[in-house]
Amino acid sequence: MGGAPERVETIAKRARQGSPAARVEHVAVSDDTPAETRAGFEQRATL
């Protein structure tokens, strides 16, 4: 995900909290520049 720093931090803060049944161990935020630009969302396979 990317965007304005304050918006990214808002999403990261929510991810750190997680849902009531979640156990969040770590959320990493970096200032990396993406190799490609994406528009919208896409569903990817989970591990």
Side-chain angles (χ1 to χ4, degrees), residues 15-26:
R16 287 182 189 102
Q17 181 180 358
S19 66
R23 188 179 91 209
V24 179
E25 294 183 12
H26 181 73

Side-chain angles (χ1 to χ4, degrees), residues 2 8-9 11 14-15 23 25 35-36 38 41-42 44:
V8 172
E9 183 54 38
I11 296 298
R14 290 181 183 179
R23 188 179 91 209
E25 294 183 12
E36 58 187 73
R38 296 194 169 122
F41 293 92
E42 66 182 67
R44 294 183 174 191

Side-chain angles (χ1 to χ4, degrees), residues 1-3 5 8-9 12 16 26-34:
M1 154 187 64
V8 172
E9 183 54 38
R16 287 182 189 102
H26 181 73
V27 174
V29 178
S30 68
D31 290 331
D32 293 346
T33 302

